[in-house]
Amino acid sequence: MLLSVARLSQKRYLEGALLFAVLLNLKHIYLYVAPAYGVYLLRSYCFSASNPDGSVRWHSFNFLRTISLALIVCSMFAVSLGPFIVLGQLPQVLSRLFPFKRGLCHAYWAPNFWALYNAVDKSLSIIGLKFKFLDADKMSTAAMTGGLVQEFQHTVLPTVTPLATLICTFVSIMPSVFCLWFKPRGPRGFLQCLTLCALGSFMFGWHVHEKAILLAILPFSLLSVRSRKEAGVYLILATTGHLSLFPLLFTAPEFPIKILLMLLFTLYSFSSLKSLFRKEGPLLNWPEILYLIGLVPLEVICEVVYPLTAWKERLPFIPLLLTSVYCALGISYAWLRLCVMVLTEPTAMKQRKNQ
């Protein structure tokens, strides 16, 4: 992905499109960021000029460029999916790529909006049972917290369907795509849209895998050196996102490795970005610092204290729930901060005029 971003930044659009098409056919999770690539290529390559106010110059549309771009992308998909089409196996491939029967969340909830939604529903169901607002006989036992990959029904809140997640994802990424088309900022705007598409899909997608947060962290790392605000948001997103992956490395030999790697990366990120923007003020405010400090006792409780308690056998999902919900708060905050930043930032042409 980073190589395709580099090619697009160098205005080698066809190479960038080819690399992304290869990437998408290797791992369909990159479909999350496909809208950013499609709009940026259409806006920057197929339309070759802009008006002074930054809007697209419609008569600059280049038909030959569009055909060449379409041929490259379609030929890549033809090579990848052609054998399955010939053998009549394409429906089988699609059913495995988009497994809607696996449920809204993984066994370990990805730290996104639906993790918070599930936690609220679970809390309301516990309160409802305690005060006898709900009938225990009509409720499914530990449906969301049983550690199984399956479809489940929410108890109090409305049950979320794949269509609902699709609509929420579409709504979440549209502002960034809108800005990429109507408020072009060059490669920086593309990276911002790429990050927001990845974050929007992560926040509201169906059966999102927790590793998908890396799709947002990687491109956003390139933007973290551009401004103090983006550096601050990146530190929150990267620190929270990386720690949210700790439950995937659950064996005893992996524990010191993941802790040391996390410490090395976090200390280097904070020190280098602080040094880069030392003249512009602090990167984080006190509430943000306190939230990140809270990750330390969270990890100690989940990895060290809780396994020693009697609750481990009876409520094994608690550490995963705490990690998912706490990290979801930080990732949601970073997503909102970045959305506001992108929507309120002037276009590149207006910035040049002000300068």
Coordinates of all heavy atoms in Angstrom, one line a residue, residues 13-44:
Y13 N 0.7 7.7 -11.8 CA -0.7 7.3 -11.5 C -0.9 5.8 -11.9 O -1.6 5.0 -11.2 CB -1.7 8.2 -12.1 CG -1.6 9.6 -11.6 CD1 -1.2 10.7 -12.4 CD2 -2.0 9.9 -10.2 CE1 -1.1 12.0 -11.9 CE2 -1.9 11.2 -9.7 CZ -1.5 12.2 -10.5 OH -1.4 13.5 -10.1
L14 N -0.5 5.5 -13.1 CA -0.8 4.1 -13.6 C -0.1 3.1 -12.8 O -0.6 2.0 -12.5 CB -0.4 4.0 -15.1 CG -1.3 4.9 -16.1 CD1 -0.8 4.7 -17.5 CD2 -2.8 4.6 -15.9
E15 N 1.2 3.4 -12.4 CA 1.9 2.4 -11.6 C 1.2 2.3 -10.2 O 1.1 1.2 -9.7 CB 3.3 2.9 -11.4 CG 4.2 2.8 -12.6 CD 5.6 3.3 -12.4 OE1 6.1 3.0 -11.3 OE2 6.2 4.0 -13.3
G16 N 0.8 3.4 -9.7 CA 0.1 3.4 -8.4 C -1.2 2.6 -8.5 O -1.5 1.8 -7.6
A17 N -2.0 2.7 -9.6 CA -3.2 2.0 -9.8 C -2.9 0.5 -9.9 O -3.7 -0.3 -9.3 CB -3.9 2.5 -11.0
L18 N -1.9 0.2 -10.6 CA -1.5 -1.3 -10.8 C -1.2 -1.9 -9.5 O -1.6 -3.0 -9.2 CB -0.4 -1.4 -11.8 CG 0.2 -2.8 -12.0 CD1 -0.9 -3.7 -12.6 CD2 1.4 -2.8 -12.9
L19 N -0.3 -1.2 -8.7 CA 0.1 -1.7 -7.4 C -1.1 -1.9 -6.5 O -1.2 -2.9 -5.7 CB 1.1 -0.8 -6.8 CG 2.5 -0.8 -7.4 CD1 3.3 0.3 -6.9 CD2 3.2 -2.1 -7.2
F20 N -2.0 -1.0 -6.5 CA -3.2 -1.1 -5.6 C -4.1 -2.3 -6.1 O -4.7 -3.0 -5.3 CB -4.0 0.2 -5.5 CG -5.2 0.0 -4.6 CD1 -5.0 -0.1 -3.2 CD2 -6.5 0.0 -5.1 CE1 -6.1 -0.2 -2.4 CE2 -7.6 -0.1 -4.3 CZ -7.4 -0.2 -2.9
A21 N -4.2 -2.4 -7.4 CA -5.1 -3.5 -7.9 C -4.5 -4.9 -7.5 O -5.2 -5.8 -7.2 CB -5.2 -3.4 -9.5
V22 N -3.2 -5.0 -7.6 CA -2.5 -6.2 -7.1 C -2.8 -6.4 -5.7 O -3.1 -7.5 -5.2 CB -1.0 -6.1 -7.4 CG1 -0.2 -7.3 -6.8 CG2 -0.7 -6.1 -8.9
L23 N -2.6 -5.4 -4.9 CA -2.8 -5.5 -3.4 C -4.2 -5.9 -3.1 O -4.5 -6.7 -2.2 CB -2.5 -4.1 -2.8 CG -2.6 -4.0 -1.3 CD1 -1.5 -4.8 -0.6 CD2 -2.5 -2.5 -0.9
L24 N -5.2 -5.3 -3.8 CA -6.6 -5.6 -3.5 C -6.9 -7.0 -3.9 O -7.7 -7.7 -3.2 CB -7.5 -4.7 -4.4 CG -9.0 -4.8 -4.2 CD1 -9.4 -4.6 -2.7 CD2 -9.7 -3.7 -5.0
N25 N -6.3 -7.6 -4.9 CA -6.6 -9.0 -5.3 C -5.8 -9.9 -4.4 O -6.2 -11.1 -4.3 CB -6.2 -9.2 -6.7 CG -7.2 -8.7 -7.7 OD1 -8.2 -9.4 -8.0 ND2 -7.1 -7.5 -8.2
L26 N -4.8 -9.5 -3.7 CA -4.1 -10.3 -2.8 C -4.9 -10.4 -1.4 O -4.9 -11.4 -0.8 CB -2.7 -9.8 -2.5 CG -1.7 -10.0 -3.6 CD1 -0.4 -9.3 -3.3 CD2 -1.4 -11.5 -3.9
K27 N -5.5 -9.3 -1.0 CA -6.2 -9.2 0.3 C -7.3 -8.2 0.1 O -7.2 -7.0 0.0 CB -5.2 -8.7 1.4 CG -5.8 -8.8 2.8 CD -6.0 -10.2 3.2 CE -6.5 -10.3 4.6 NZ -6.8 -11.7 5.1
H28 N -8.6 -8.8 0.2 CA -9.7 -8.0 -0.1 C -10.1 -7.0 1.0 O -10.9 -6.1 0.8 CB -10.9 -8.9 -0.4 CG -11.5 -9.6 0.8 ND1 -10.8 -10.6 1.4 CD2 -12.6 -9.4 1.5 CE1 -11.5 -11.0 2.5 NE2 -12.6 -10.3 2.6
I29 N -9.4 -7.0 2.1 CA -9.6 -6.1 3.2 C -9.3 -4.6 2.7 O -9.8 -3.7 3.2 CB -8.8 -6.4 4.4 CG1 -9.3 -5.6 5.6 CG2 -7.3 -6.1 4.2 CD1 -8.6 -6.1 6.9
Y30 N -8.4 -4.5 1.7 CA -8.1 -3.2 1.1 C -9.2 -2.6 0.3 O -9.1 -1.5 -0.1 CB -6.8 -3.3 0.3 CG -5.6 -3.6 1.1 CD1 -5.1 -4.9 1.3 CD2 -4.9 -2.5 1.8 CE1 -4.0 -5.1 2.1 CE2 -3.8 -2.8 2.6 CZ -3.4 -4.1 2.7 OH -2.3 -4.3 3.5
L31 N -10.3 -3.3 0.2 CA -11.5 -2.7 -0.4 C -12.0 -1.5 0.4 O -12.7 -0.6 -0.1 CB -12.6 -3.8 -0.5 CG -13.9 -3.4 -1.3 CD1 -13.5 -3.2 -2.7 CD2 -14.9 -4.5 -1.2
Y32 N -11.7 -1.5 1.7 CA -12.0 -0.4 2.6 C -11.5 0.9 2.1 O -12.2 2.0 2.2 CB -11.4 -0.6 4.0 CG -12.0 -1.7 4.8 CD1 -11.3 -2.2 5.9 CD2 -13.2 -2.3 4.5 CE1 -11.9 -3.3 6.7 CE2 -13.8 -3.3 5.3 CZ -13.1 -3.8 6.3 OH -13.6 -4.8 7.1
V33 N -10.3 0.9 1.5 CA -9.7 2.2 1.1 C -9.8 2.4 -0.4 O -9.3 3.4 -0.9 CB -8.2 2.3 1.5 CG1 -8.1 2.2 3.0 CG2 -7.4 1.1 0.9
A34 N -10.5 1.5 -1.1 CA -10.7 1.7 -2.6 C -11.4 3.0 -3.0 O -11.0 3.6 -4.0 CB -11.4 0.5 -3.1
P35 N -12.4 3.5 -2.2 CA -13.0 4.8 -2.6 C -12.0 5.9 -2.7 O -12.1 6.8 -3.6 CB -14.0 5.0 -1.5 CG -14.4 3.6 -1.1 CD -13.1 2.9 -1.1
A36 N -11.0 5.9 -1.8 CA -10.0 7.0 -1.8 C -9.2 6.9 -3.1 O -8.9 7.9 -3.7 CB -9.1 6.9 -0.6
Y37 N -8.8 5.7 -3.4 CA -8.0 5.5 -4.6 C -8.8 5.9 -5.9 O -8.3 6.6 -6.8 CB -7.5 4.1 -4.7 CG -6.2 3.8 -4.0 CD1 -6.3 3.4 -2.7 CD2 -5.0 3.9 -4.6 CE1 -5.1 3.1 -1.9 CE2 -3.8 3.6 -3.9 CZ -3.9 3.2 -2.6 OH -2.7 3.0 -1.9
G38 N -10.0 5.4 -5.9 CA -10.8 5.6 -7.1 C -11.1 7.1 -7.4 O -10.9 7.6 -8.5
V39 N -11.5 7.8 -6.3 CA -11.8 9.3 -6.5 C -10.5 10.1 -6.8 O -10.5 11.0 -7.6 CB -12.5 9.8 -5.2 CG1 -12.6 11.3 -5.2 CG2 -13.8 9.2 -5.0
Y40 N -9.4 9.7 -6.1 CA -8.2 10.5 -6.3 C -7.6 10.3 -7.7 O -7.2 11.2 -8.4 CB -7.1 10.0 -5.3 CG -5.8 10.9 -5.4 CD1 -5.8 12.2 -5.0 CD2 -4.7 10.3 -5.9 CE1 -4.6 12.9 -5.1 CE2 -3.5 11.0 -6.0 CZ -3.5 12.3 -5.6 OH -2.3 13.1 -5.7
L41 N -7.7 9.1 -8.2 CA -7.2 8.8 -9.6 C -8.1 9.5 -10.6 O -7.7 10.1 -11.6 CB -7.2 7.3 -9.9 CG -6.0 6.6 -9.2 CD1 -6.3 5.0 -9.3 CD2 -4.7 6.9 -9.9
L42 N -9.4 9.5 -10.4 CA -10.4 10.1 -11.3 C -10.1 11.6 -11.3 O -10.1 12.3 -12.3 CB -11.8 9.8 -10.9 CG -12.9 10.3 -11.8 CD1 -12.8 9.7 -13.2 CD2 -14.3 10.1 -11.2
R43 N -9.9 12.2 -10.1 CA -9.8 13.6 -9.9 C -8.4 14.2 -10.4 O -8.4 15.3 -11.0 CB -10.0 14.0 -8.5 CG -10.0 15.5 -8.1 CD -11.2 16.2 -8.7 NE -11.3 17.5 -8.2 CZ -10.6 18.6 -8.8 NH1 -9.8 18.3 -9.8 NH2 -10.8 19.8 -8.3
S44 N -7.4 13.4 -10.2 CA -6.0 13.9 -10.5 C -5.5 13.4 -11.8 O -4.6 14.1 -12.4 CB -5.1 13.4 -9.4 OG -5.5 13.9 -8.1

